[in-house]
DNA sequence: CACTCGTATCGATGAGTGTCAACATAGACG
DNA sequence: CGTCTATGTTGACACTCATCGATACGAGTG
């Protein structure tokens, strides 16, 4: 997991949601922070999207072709629609290689959630 | 309704949403797990709810009176509606003490998120 | 008991969302 | 070029949701 240490800017739009947010228990969230965090949670608030994200994340290298993950019980346009939403939320990135399109977990997504939730502060400090 | 009993919600069944879920990167989520996790994320996918939750969580003892947190820019019925949703999602619990109603962060909510995200596995395995 | 304050519920409404069928686009291959 | 496969886009529809005003309930207080 050495590559996920990098804090590079992925190919996100101008309104990427992921890089954000103070710990949730540290104090009252500001309105902009709350909106950013809510947008991120909203992207994961659908069971189909969650399963798609999970399938990509659990694939070797955090990368998967659409053809590998599209069996989630909904039609192909719906899969494409959900993948687009995950992309717009900054949780996934996509790349076309030949015939197929591959989706990757955006770098430092889980780490951003970790910071946001301020988990195990004692362990994190030491 | 009883006096101090606030546990009569018909919507919140025996299975609250929070206690759940394998790590998100460990493998493909099962459909029931995805639905549970999505419900939890959905409860936090609204900026107003996120700020309400944050206000409760950042109060001393993880507890706050509604009167202390209801200034989030929406009307009082809307605040009540959002608090109800957070309650139904298992993220908050409520208790009436005299005139005021106090909301607390449900135990092990953050820990559940931690397990779900598979953060700091060494520390989380305690 | 009447009045007031804090909180929950109801009903309505406008905005948003998940889903699909149909169509469009892009690359591979003959 | 034509065609096949893999994804994305569009338009429509049913459904959910966030919000509010009005109202009800519950607990103190005079």
């Amino acid at each position: 997991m050495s590559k996920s240490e990098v804090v590079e800017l992925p190919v996100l739009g101008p309104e990427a949601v992921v890089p954000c947010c103070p710990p949730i228990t540290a104090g009252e969230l500001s309105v902009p922070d709350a909106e950013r965090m809510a947008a991120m949670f909203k992207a994961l608030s659908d069971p189909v999207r969650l399963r798609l994200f999970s399938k990509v994340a659990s694939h070797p290298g955090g990368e998967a072709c659409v053809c590998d993950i599209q069996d989630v019980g909904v039609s192909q346009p719906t899969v494409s629609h959900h993948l687009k939403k995950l992309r717009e939320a900054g949780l996934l990135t996509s790349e076309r290689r030949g015939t197929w399109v591959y989706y990757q977990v955006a770098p430092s997504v889980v780490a951003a959630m970790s910071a946001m939730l301020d988990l195990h502060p004692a362990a994190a400090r030491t």
Side-chain angles (χ1 to χ4, degrees), chain A:
Chain A
M1 288 252 304
S2 52
K3 65 170 187 181
S4 52
E5 295 282 348
V6 198
V7 204
E8 56 169 0
L9 281 203
V11 236
L12 304 176
E15 26 105 44
V17 173
V18 171
C20 70
C21 305
I24 206 175
T25 54
E28 303 182 10
L29 285 172
S30 71
V31 174
D33 281 342
E35 285 170 353
R36 274 190 288 271
M37 287 180 56
M40 184 162 128
F41 283 133
K42 184 179 248 176
L44 296 172
S45 69
D46 181 272
V48 172
R49 277 201 295 273
L50 211 43
R51 287 171 64 205
L52 287 171
F53 183 83
S54 153
K55 284 188 173 216
V56 173
S58 63
H59 257 245
E63 169 178 290
C65 170
V66 176
C67 56
D68 290 329
I69 61 176
Q70 70 185 170
D71 184 21
V72 287
V74 295
S75 69
Q76 177 270 323
T78 304
V79 169
S80 191
H81 170 248
H82 284 308
L83 288 173
K84 182 180 183 182
K85 286 221 156 187
L86 288 168
R87 230 187 316 141
E88 290 171 353
L91 297 173
L92 294 180
T93 61
S94 67
E95 182 187 352
R96 166 158 238 145
R97 292 205 289 273
T99 306
W100 295 277
V101 175
Y102 292 83
Y103 279 79
Q104 306 95 20
V105 176
S108 73
V109 163
V110 174
M113 287 184 166
S114 166
M116 196 172 60
L117 295 172
D118 190 22
L119 304 157
H120 310 110
R125 273 201 311 266
T126 52

